[in-house]
Every structure is written in structure tokens, then in C-alpha cells.
């Protein structure tokens, strides 16, 4: 697009009304699209399966602040001391393993549908038949099968695996061979009669696929940002089934949490039992030693000659005993970890003072339990299991390192305390040997007894913890229907979206069409690009069966359009008139087929209807169309024009002996008298002929004899013929064709006029659709012509 055209486009202000009128011209398409979209939405809503929303609400219990009966035993830390993360619990609730258990518990992998005329409905409560499988569960859990049943009577039914195929009659309770093994269909007497002669579809899906499908329909969210309350919601076509699913999911979640706690508590209790048995043996040995020593030595009372030293020694001995006890338990724990080959939970809270070991042990047990739970529905090659194995191995190595460090530290502590004890003992060497020996035995007896009593207390606490294990969550609201009406399909939203889509589709098509459109469509669109160059008018599109020539006193849209062009033409000729009559009008176009001959012929006819002398000259000597136009069948029948001369413009330019009167053909066409100069024979050198002075002489002479001289010239962009004789024209009418002539083609004559190669340029738009006639199609032609409204046709 040229710079001038771009400037003209930029100078045009945004006209909202014009744009609105452009789209309103296609209002029927908008109406049709909206009605069609709403109809599709109605059909979709009519036959869509409605879904209901069901919700349950639970509270994740924080075990440190839950106020449960285990608060008095928190020092045992059997269940861990960290606050439960709600985000982690959301993932656990919606875990695949939980859903697999729910699907198995409720039997959701087998569904029974009753078929209707268009859609089918699922039967959840009290279906007319029950499907029993003979194959093992491992096969059924992976099976996929669809078959159809037709209830024939209370004792028989029809069976087929393909819809609309002949059925095979079976009796209830008989084995039926299927691709997944034998099955047995049993009737439900309470509801069987309601489904006689109806077709049932039984769908069996793999449990994993069913669990995954329901898992995707669940929505778990926290009630607030820092809240421990979770809202669990799902949508399903059957409210009762959705309620059962949510209740079962919460039940499975709590059950698994309780089992996890019990596994850890049992493991801890077993470890304590082993330690109690070991310490009981040691305590019995110490008691026997004290008894034997007193019997042998006859010791009944002990005098304290150095009470201070002995008291200090007792305290030091107590610390030494505690350190040795810690060393023994750490060594036992280290030995247990080293000897463990598989993935078993480890005892927690065995009395070690190092919190790192306790935390690592707790995390290790959690990962081991998660691995066992995942193995129920997967195998050891699953990437999740492999990842857990790597984490467990890392924790095990960390635990071994911590235990080794603890054993070394405790060993150093024991050695240090033993050295101090030796120094205390050296201070009481003066005391009797019997008293010293008895004191040693007594101290061993006291420390072993205190440890024994401590472990007995821990065992009781562990047993109480196991007996009083509470669920991990508290049910605030059992599953309930959010509303009595379906939540989908949402009728207002669907209708609104359909209405918007119905408007958007034709709008987008029209917008893209206009965006890619580079054609002239009517006078108004042409005026945007030609600036101050006058546009004389526009001609309507003419049907094949309509008359191509206007007649006298014609009231058609074509005739009215030509009269407007005639008026504008007269005005321009009068304003440009200087020397002479100034009545020579060239009619040209960009390329053939745009209607220049049609315009020049009808323009001559409409000018002649005002009793003016009109001469029509066929100057397109390369491709003459004027002669064939006037000798058509319609013209001969109505006007009987006579061609009294054989010579035309070509012969006049060749033969200097010919005069104007020798080539002029007077014609009576539809009661209009016009003179016509035909193009004549097609010459071999048309450009050279037109460059001769005979053309100027001809136009100068006829302009004096006639009121209007209409010259039908050659297309301007195809050949140079029109440019060769353009100096002799007083007005050049450039014909464009609506929907054919491109905007870039209009730039060509504008550029020629700027360069001074042509003068008196004006435009006419031909073949304009009736909806585009006038300015934006709003003000058309046809005044005085009665037209029926579109709804009366």
C-alpha cells in the first residue's frame, strides 16, 4: 500500500456506527448462529447426566494439643512430637492406595446401567441382578469387560457381549463363560420385576483404573490458611454413592493411620520386653551375690567410717551405671540396625538421650510403613518404591553413624567415670574389705533394680498407648449433599456461553473476512482511499435475467443510479469547462471485465433520454465489445437498431478520406436516439494508430456536434492505448468493480494523475450488491418503488 493511501487511512477517524452497520448487515447470520448455539446447548442440557455435589468435613488432630488420653505419656514419644502438616495429610487422603481400598470395599469396579432410548442410567442401590465372580481376585482386579443382560422372566435372562446382537438365554445361578472367567448372575427379587424386558449393561473395569478415575474427581482443601479442618468434596450422578465413597475414604484414612501407630507401638513394646528379660536376669544374679556374700562373711550391718567419700562414690557410681546403661542400649540398638537386612520398623524411645537418633528412627519408621502400604498396590520396581528405598538406606546409614558416635562418646564417659571411681575407692582402702565388697554389691543391686522398674513402667505405658490409639482425624460432618439441585450441567452458564459463542462465531468470521479483504465494495469504501478525487456514483449488481440497458422513463435501481451519475457528471463538466464545450468523457478501468462498456453504453442511454445529442465512441480497438453489445438479441427485439455504416474508428484512422459522418451510426434504442462509432476491425498496430493526429481531429469535431461524447477506451493497466489519447479527454471516468477491484489497483490512476499523465479523474463503482448500495448500505436507491417487507415474501 502506498504512502498516500496509508495517510488517507490514518486520517480516517474511528467510526463506531459504520463498524456496527457493517456487522448489522449480517444480522440474519448472527440470529441463525445464536439460535443454533442455544439449540445445541438445550440438547446438551436435556441429555446430559446431572451431577450432585457431596461434601464431608474432618479435622486433622494435632496430637500434642488434642487433649487425648495419651497426653500424660508424651515423654514416651511413641507417635512423634512434630505438628501434623495439613498439606501432607491432603496428599495422604487422596493417595492411590486409599482409593484402591475404597473401590474394593464398595465394589465400585463393577457397575450396572439400565439403558434408555438415548442415555443410560447407573443403578447403585438394589440393582435387579448381582454379578458373582468365580475367578480369583487377582484376575478380577485387572479385568475389563462389558456385557448386556435382558431380563426375560423371574428365572431367565438374555446375555450378549455386543450390543444389538442376538442374546443367549441363561438361567439365574448358572455359570456363564466370559473372557475373564466364569461368572454367576443372581437375581434381586425385590427389584427384578421393575426391569423386565429392559436391557442392562454391566461394566467391569480394572480396580486401578476405577480408583484413578474417582481420585481425579475428588477435591480436598483446607477450610482456612492456618486451619486443620479439611473440606472433602466430590461430584457424582448418584448422591448416595458419593456419600458412601466419602465416608469410606475417611474411614480407610483413619484405619490406616491407626494401623501405622499400632505397628510402631508393638515394635517398641517388643523391644522393651527383651530388655526387661535381660535386666531381670542380671538383677537376680546381683541379689544372689549379695545373699552369698552376707552368708559367707557374716555381714549384718555396715559402719560408715568415711561417709563423705562413700556418698560421693555412690553418686559417681550412679552416673557410671547410667552411662553404662546408655552404652548398653546404644550398642544394642547399633547391633539391631546392623543386623537388619530388610525393611522393618525400629523401636523408638528406648531411653537414649540423643534426640537425633530418636528423630531419625521416627522418620525411618514412617518411610518403612509408607513402603509397605505402597507395596499393597505396586511392586518393588515402582519408581516411588525405589525412591523410598534410597531414602530408607540413607536414613539407615545416618542412624548407624549417629549410633556409632553415641557408643564412642558413651565409652569415653564410662572410662572417665571409672577413673573417678577408682580415685574414690583409693580413699576408702582403709575400710574393711567386707564393707567395700558389700557396698559394691548393693550399688549394683540398686541400679539394676531402678532400671528394671523404669522399663516396667514404660511397658505399661506402651500397652496403654496401644489400647487407646485414637483416629488421626475427627469427623465434623459426615458426607452430605451440598444442595438438592444438580451442580452440573450449569444451565445459566451453558446458555450464556452458547449465546456468546453464537455471537462470536459469525463475528470472528466477518472480522477475519474484513481483515483480509482488500477489495472495493461500494462508493463509500472507495471514497476513503481517493481523498479529493470525485466518485460519481455506483451501479447495482444486475442479475442474468435482468435487462442490461436502461429504457426511457426507467424507474429501476440501475436507472436511478445512472441518473445520479449523470447529475454528478454534468456538475463536474460545468466546473471544469474552460475552452470549448468540454464534453469529451473517457470511460476506462484497470482490467477487462470491470464494466466500462456497460457503463459507457448505459450512460449514453441515460444522457440521450434528456433529448441531448450523444455520441458513443468505441475506442477499445484491441478488444471491441461495443458492437456485440448493441447487436444482442434483446436490443434487436425491442429497438431494431440499424447499422448503416461498415466503417469504424480503425478504418477512420487508416483512411484519411473518411469523414466523421462516414463512421457514425444513428441508432434508436428503447426510444432513445444515440449515435455510435464502432471500433471497427482489430488492427495489427493499435498503439501507432492512436498516436496519429486523426484521433484529435475526430474528438475536436464531434465535441462541437454533440452535447456529450462518451469514449469507451481500453483498460488503463493492461495497455497504453488510453494514455496515448488521454490529453483529448475533458473527464476520465475510472470504473471499479465491487468485490473484484483491489485497493492497490486504485492507486494506479491516482499516481498517473499526480504525475500529470491523465486529467479530470473520477470514479464509478460497478456491480455493487443491493445491501451495500449507498453509504454503508443504509441509504440505498429505489425511491418511489414499492417493495415488500422480507417477512411478507
Amino acid at each position: 500500500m502506498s504512502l498516500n493511501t496509508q495517510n488517507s487511512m490514518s486520517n480516517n477517524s474511528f467510526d463506531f456506527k459504520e463498524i456496527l452497520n457493517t456487522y448489522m448487515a449480517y444480522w440474519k447470520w448472527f440470529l441463525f448462529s445464536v439460535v443454533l448455539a442455544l439449540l445445541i446447548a438445550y440438547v446438551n442440557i436435556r441429555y446430559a447426566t446431572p451431577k450432585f455435589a457431596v461434601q464431608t468435613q474432618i479435622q486433622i488432630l494435632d496430637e500434642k494439643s488434642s487433649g487425648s488420653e495419651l497426653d500424660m505419656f508424651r515423654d514416651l514419644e511413641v507417635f512423634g512430637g512434630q505438628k501434623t502438616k495439613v498439606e501432607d495429610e491432603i496428599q495422604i487422603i487422596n493417595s492411590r492406595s486409599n482409593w484402591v481400598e475404597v473401590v474394593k470395599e464398595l465394589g465400585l469396579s463393577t457397575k450396572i446401567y439400565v439403558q434408555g432410548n438415548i442415555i443410560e442410567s447407573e443403578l447403585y442401590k438394589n440393582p435387579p441382578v448381582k454379578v458373582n465372580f468365580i475367578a480369583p481376585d487377582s484376575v478380577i482386579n485387572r479385568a475389563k469387560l462389558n456385557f448386556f443382560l435382558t431380563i426375560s422372566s423371574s428365572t431367565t435372562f438374555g446375555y450378549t457381549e455386543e450390543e444389538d446382537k442376538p442374546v443367549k438365554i441363561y438361567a439365574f445361578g448358572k455359570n456363564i463363560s466370559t473372557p475373564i472367567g466364569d461368572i454367576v448372575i443372581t437375581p434381586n427379587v425385590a427389584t427384578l420385576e421393575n426391569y423386565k424386558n429392559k436391557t442392562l449393561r454391566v461394566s467391569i473395569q480394572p480396580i486401578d483404573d476405577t480408583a484413578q478415575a474417582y481420585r481425579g474427581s475428588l477435591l480436598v482443601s483446607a477450610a482456612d490458611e492456618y486451619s486443620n479442618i479439611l473440606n472433602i468434596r466430590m461430584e457424582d450422578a448418584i448422591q448416595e454413592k458419593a456419600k458412601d465413597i466419602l465416608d469410606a475414604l475417611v474411614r480407610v484414612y483413619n484405619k490406616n493411620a491407626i494401623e501405622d501407630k499400632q505397628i510402631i507401638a508393638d515394635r517398641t513394646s517388643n523391644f522393651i520386653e527383651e530388655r526387661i528379660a535381660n535386666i531381670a536376669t542380671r538383677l537376680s544374679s546381683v541379689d544372689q551375690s549379695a545373699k552369698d556374700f552376707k552368708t559367707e562373711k557374716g555381714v549384718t550391718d555396715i559402719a560408715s567410717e568415711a561417709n563423705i567419700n562413700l556418698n560421693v562414690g555412690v553418686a559417681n557410681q550412679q552416673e557410671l551405671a547410667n552411662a553404662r546403661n546408655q552404652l548398653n542400649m546404644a550398642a544394642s540398638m547399633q547391633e539391631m540396625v546392623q543386623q537388619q537386612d530388610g525393611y522393618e520398623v525400629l523401636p523408638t524411645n528406648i531411653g537414649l538421650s540423643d534426640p537425633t537418633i530418636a528423630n531419625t528412627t521416627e522418620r525411618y519408621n514412617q518411610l518403612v510403613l509408607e513402603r509397605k502400604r505402597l507395596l499393597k498396590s505396586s511392586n518393588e520396581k515402582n519408581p516411588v518404591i525405589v525412591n523410598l528405598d534410597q531414602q530408607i538406606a540413607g536414613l539407615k546409614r545416618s542412624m548407624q553413624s549417629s549410633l556409632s558416635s553415641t557408643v564412642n562418646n558413651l565409652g569415653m564417659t564410662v572410662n572417665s567415670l571409672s577413673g573417678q571411681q577408682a580415685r574414690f575407692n583409693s580413699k576408702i582402702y582403709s575400710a574393711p574389705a567386707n564393707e567395700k565388697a558389700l557396698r559394691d554389691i548393693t550399688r549394683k543391686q540398686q541400679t539394676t533394680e531402678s532400671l528394671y522398674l523404669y522399663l516396667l513402667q514404660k511397658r505399661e505405658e506402651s500397652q496403654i498407648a496401644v489400647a487407646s490409639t485414637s483416629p488421626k482425624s475427627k469427623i465434623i460432618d459426615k458426607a452430605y449433599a451440598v444442595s438438592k439441585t444438580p451442580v452440573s450441567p450449569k444451565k445459566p452458564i451453558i446458555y450464556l456461553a452458547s449465546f456468546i459463542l453464537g455471537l462470536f462465531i459469525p463475528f470472528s468470521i466477518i472480522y477475519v473476512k474484513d481483515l483480509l479483504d482488500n477489495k472495493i465494495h461500494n462508493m463509500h469504501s472507495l471514497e476513503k482511499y481517493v481523498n479529493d478525487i470525485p466518485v460519481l456514483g455506483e451501479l447495482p449488481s444486475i442479475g442474468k435475467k435482468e435487462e442490461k440497458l436502461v429504457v426511457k422513463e426507467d424507474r429501476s435501481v440501475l436507472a436511478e443510479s445512472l441518473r445520479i451519475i449523470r447529475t454528478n457528471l454534468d456538475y463536474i463538466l460545468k466546473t471544469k469547462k474552460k475552452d470549448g464545450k468540454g464534453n469529451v468523457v473517457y470511460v476506462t478501468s484497470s482490467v477487462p471485465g470491470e464494466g466500462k462498456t456497460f457503463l459507457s453504453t448505459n450512460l449514453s442511454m441515460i444522457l440521450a433520454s434528456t433529448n441531448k445529442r450523444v455520441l458513443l465512441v468505441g475506442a477499445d480497438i484491441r478488444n471491441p465489445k461495443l458492437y456485440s453489445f448493441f447487436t444482442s438479441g434483446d436490443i434487436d427485439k425491442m429497438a431494431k437498431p440499424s447499422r448503416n455504416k461498415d466503417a469504424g474508428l480503425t478504418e477512420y484512422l487508416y483512411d484519411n478520406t473518411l469523414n466523421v459522418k462516414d463512421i457514425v451510426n444513428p441508432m434508436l434504442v428503447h426510444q432513445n436516439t444515440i449515435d455510435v462509432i464502432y471500433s471497427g476491425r482489430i488492427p495489427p498496430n493499435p498503439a501507432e494508430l492512436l498516436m496519429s493526429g486523426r484521433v484529435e481531429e475526430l474528438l475536436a469535431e464531434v465535441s462541437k456536434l454533440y452535447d456529450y461524447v462518451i469514449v469507451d477506451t481500453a483498460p488503463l493497466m493492461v495497455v497504453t492505448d488510453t494514455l496515448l489519447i488521454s490529453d483529448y479527454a475533458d473527464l476520465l471516468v475510472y470504473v471499479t468493480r465491487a468485490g473484484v477491484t483491489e485497493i492497490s489497483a486504485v492507486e494506479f490512476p491516482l499516481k498517473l494523475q499526480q504525475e500529470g499523465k491523465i486529467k479530470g479523474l473520477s470514479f464509478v463503482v460497478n456491480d455493487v450488491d443491493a445491501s451495500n448500495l449507498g453509504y454503508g448500505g443504509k441509504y440505498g436507491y429505489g425511491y418511489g418503488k414499492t417493495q415488500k417487507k422480507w417477512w411478507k415474501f
Side-chain angles (χ1 to χ4, degrees), residues 581-595:
K581 286 188 175 182
N583 58 356
V584 179
V585 180
Y586 282 10
V587 180
T588 186
S589 64
S590 300
V591 293
E594 292 182 317

Side-chain angles (χ1 to χ4, degrees), residues 52-58 93-94 99 102 105-106 108 124 214 217-220 231-236 238-254 473 475 477-482:
F52 298 86
V54 176
Q55 179 174 301
T56 185
Q57 197 172 53
I58 64 174
I93 290 173
N94 201 23
W99 274 110
V102 171
E105 179 181 333
L106 300 180
L108 300 177
Y124 178 65
Y214 281 110
S217 65
L218 189 75
L219 178 62
V220 185
N231 295 323
I232 307 176
R233 177 189 176 104
M234 74 174 300
E235 296 178 3
D236 197 86
I238 304 175
Q239 283 187 350
E240 291 299 323
K241 183 173 73 170
K243 292 179 182 178
D244 292 344
I245 289 175
L246 292 186
D247 290 339
L249 182 62
V250 173
R251 186 167 58 252
V252 168
Y253 165 72
N254 284 330
S473 66
I475 300 176
D477 286 322
K478 294 192 69 175
Y480 64 93
V482 176

Side-chain angles (χ1 to χ4, degrees), residues 521 538-542 594 736-740 765-769:
H521 291 282
E538 54 192 357
L539 298 177
S541 179
I542 303 299
E594 292 182 317
T736 62
R737 186 171 182 179
V740 175
V765 184
N766 181 34
D767 199 23
V768 179
D769 188 75

Side-chain angles (χ1 to χ4, degrees), residues 225-339:
E225 183 177 1
Y226 301 104
S227 175
N228 283 348
I229 296 177
L230 297 181
N231 295 323
I232 307 176
R233 177 189 176 104
M234 74 174 300
E235 296 178 3
D236 197 86
I238 304 175
Q239 283 187 350
E240 291 299 323
K241 183 173 73 170
K243 292 179 182 178
D244 292 344
I245 289 175
L246 292 186
D247 290 339
L249 182 62
V250 173
R251 186 167 58 252
V252 168
Y253 165 72
N254 284 330
K255 177 178 69 70
N256 289 338
I258 292 174
E259 289 179 353
D260 293 344
K261 294 178 181 180
Q262 287 179 340
I263 290 175
I264 298 175
D266 290 342
R267 185 65 175 171
T268 303
S269 178
N270 293 335
F271 177 80
I272 293 176
E273 288 289 351
E274 294 176 1
R275 296 300 303 161
I276 287 176
N278 187 12
I279 293 175
T281 302
R282 291 168 51 191
L283 181 59
S284 176
S285 176
V286 172
D287 291 342
Q288 186 64 37
S289 298
K291 177 183 176 181
D292 294 343
F293 180 80
K294 289 181 178 181
T295 302
E296 180 181 353
K297 301 297 182 180
V299 177
T300 58
D301 190 13
I302 301 174
S304 54
E305 296 180 353
N307 290 329
I308 296 177
N309 291 333
L310 289 177
N311 291 334
V312 174
V314 169
N316 186 76
Q317 185 67 23
Q318 183 70 33
E319 292 182 12
L320 179 60
N322 290 335
R324 286 173 177 171
N325 183 43
Q326 289 279 325
L327 179 60
N328 290 335
M329 287 190 290
S332 300
M333 187 70 174
Q334 182 181 25
E335 182 181 359
M336 178 179 295
V337 173
Q338 291 176 350
Q339 292 178 354

